[in-house]
Amino acid sequence: MTSSIPAVGTRTAEAATLQAVFLDLDGTLVDTEGFWWEAETEVFAELGHILDDTHREVVVGGPMTRSAGYLIQATGAQIGLAELSLRLNASFAARIGRGVPLMPGARRLLAELAAHQVPTALVSASHRTIIDHMLQSLGREHFRLTLAGDDLERTKPHPDPYLTAAARLGVDPARCAVVEDTMTGVTAGEAAGCRVVAVPSVTPIPPAPGRTVVGSLEEVDLSFLRALITESR
């Protein structure tokens, strides 16, 4: 994949240090991938269509436009993309309004990164309104930058979100760690040239060169992330 967004920084052997950490939201920091699927099945049931789990594997981790467009095509539902997106976001917002559960290890990791003043960005394919709501549970103060799916022309699996985050923070993507839970996000992080930690939520993610797969965020701390950058040198 290619992008017109420039990579920022220089890749020097003498400075093999972690410059920033980029974190996904749904399924990575907050346990909400199930909420999205519940919202999708609810809305499509109202439209007269039953979604099975094969669809879930396709839409997980994707931006709203891609997921909604796929489900319209797969079911033949008589609804426009804009209207469906509004209904899905409303259904999801109603669920997170009752509370957002954090993934195991998420609060501890955010606190550690903040304590050591590691530049941290929240990079999500969710819409800005959804991210802003969930930041009330996560703590906006933990993030120097937040990027939503509707903040950019192209979102995951394109590298643009991570390249944009690196550019705005003034860091080298190759010296940044990305933490993701889906193959869509992993693809975006790898295409941007970042070191990727995969924490699979719904579907398995195989190991690959430059990619580390862990069971949960409880296995991830600052030393772990720093070692990824050092090893890549």
Side-chain angles (χ1 to χ4, degrees):
M1 297 179 185
T2 60
S3 172
S4 59
I5 300 170
V8 174
T10 58
R11 304 186 179 189
T12 57
E14 64 273 14
T17 56
L18 177 69
Q19 290 189 336
V21 176
F22 303 146
L23 298 156
D24 176 52
L25 180 61
D26 293 294
T28 300
L29 290 177
V30 291
D31 191 7
T32 51
E33 287 293 5
F35 288 10
W36 277 115
W37 182 240
E38 289 173 6
E40 288 157 350
T41 55
E42 176 184 77
V43 170
F44 274 86
E46 293 169 353
L47 295 170
H49 299 275
I50 303 300
L51 300 181
D52 59 50
D53 283 346
T54 58
H55 296 310
R56 184 179 187 182
E57 295 178 2
V58 176
V59 300
V60 65
M64 175 66 72
T65 51
R66 191 196 76 183
S67 298
Y70 164 80
L71 291 172
I72 290 173
Q73 184 177 24
T75 62
Q78 298 301 302
I79 188 171
L81 182 61
E83 181 184 353
L84 177 58
S85 296
L86 287 173
R87 291 180 63 170
L88 290 174
N89 272 322
S91 181
F92 181 77
R95 285 168 167 78
I96 64 175
R98 298 190 286 268
V100 180
L102 270 62
M103 298 296 285
R107 193 173 298 283
R108 186 265 314 151
L109 177 59
L110 289 173
E112 182 181 16
L113 294 173
H116 288 83
Q117 299 183 328
V118 178
T120 303
L122 183 67
V123 183
S124 174
S126 292
H127 283 195
R128 170 56 60 185
T129 54
I130 297 296
I131 287 181
D132 287 345
H133 184 91
M134 285 198 272
L135 281 171
Q136 297 174 26
S137 297
L138 283 171
R140 188 180 297 272
E141 69 277 6
H142 288 123
F143 305 100
R144 192 168 299 183
L145 170 72
T146 65
L147 280 176
D150 50 344
D151 288 341
L152 301 171
E153 183 176 344
R154 298 197 310 178
T155 187
K156 306 171 189 178
H158 298 289
D160 302 36
Y162 288 116
L163 291 175
T164 299
R168 291 184 182 177
L169 291 179
V171 295
D172 180 357
R175 290 163 62 187
C176 298
V178 164
V179 185
E180 281 277 0
D181 72 302
T182 68
M183 200 61 220
T184 297
V186 167
T187 299
E190 291 177 345
C194 303
R195 292 287 294 187
V196 176
V197 179
V199 193
S201 59
V202 175
T203 57
I205 298 174
R211 177 192 310 164
T212 303
V213 182
V214 298
S216 81
L217 288 181
E218 293 182 317
E219 300 177 42
V220 181
D221 58 16
L222 181 54
S223 294
F224 179 94
L225 296 172
R226 283 173 170 164
L228 293 179
I229 305 302
T230 301
E231 291 168 4
S232 71
R233 298 292 156 184

